[in-house]
Amino acid sequence: MKRLLPAFLLLTLAPLGHAAQDPQAVFARSCQMCHNGQLPTAPKKGDPQAWKPRLAQGKHVLVKHVTEGFNAMPPRGLCMDCSAEDYAAVIDWMSR
């Protein structure tokens, strides 16, 4: 039992919050139809100026907007298997 305890502690104390999916793949599958410039109100991928005021609200607000839907953003951003961490990673990737 003593040998299992340290491994168990390492697993339970490991940092959480990493995206499970590749941000570029999620973008290609679910986001690009609006964030490649086709929808004028959606900030375009790779346009830091368009993302700056949105990021100033805090990433938690942006993740909430994606999850719940906001203005023209559909709920869950059309990615039904994305986690909050996946959304945060895609936002980071798109806003560069």
Side-chain angles (χ1 to χ4, degrees):
M1 183 68 169
K2 287 183 180 181
R3 289 185 181 161
L4 293 177
L5 186 58
F8 173 76
L9 287 175
L10 285 175
L11 291 174
T12 58
L13 297 176
L16 299 175
H18 295 295
Q21 300 185 58
D22 175 53
Q24 190 171 357
V26 172
F27 177 82
R29 185 178 79 231
S30 301
C31 310
Q32 73 176 344
M33 57 197 101
C34 296
H35 290 280
N36 264 342
Q38 293 85 337
L39 187 64
T41 58
K44 190 174 178 184
K45 185 232 172 283
D47 183 353
Q49 289 303 94
W51 283 96
K52 189 174 183 175
R54 290 164 172 90
L55 291 170
Q57 298 175 64
K59 196 170 309 161
H60 67 283
V61 172
L62 297 180
V63 170
K64 180 180 178 187
H65 288 170
V66 176
T67 304
E68 296 176 359
F70 184 77
N71 294 332
M73 170 70 80
R76 302 203 55 83
L78 301 178
C79 183
M80 300 307 155
D81 65 342
C82 284
S83 66
E85 293 81 12
D86 292 329
Y87 293 134
V90 174
I91 290 166
D92 288 342
W93 186 80
M94 284 194 299
S95 62
R96 291 189 237 147

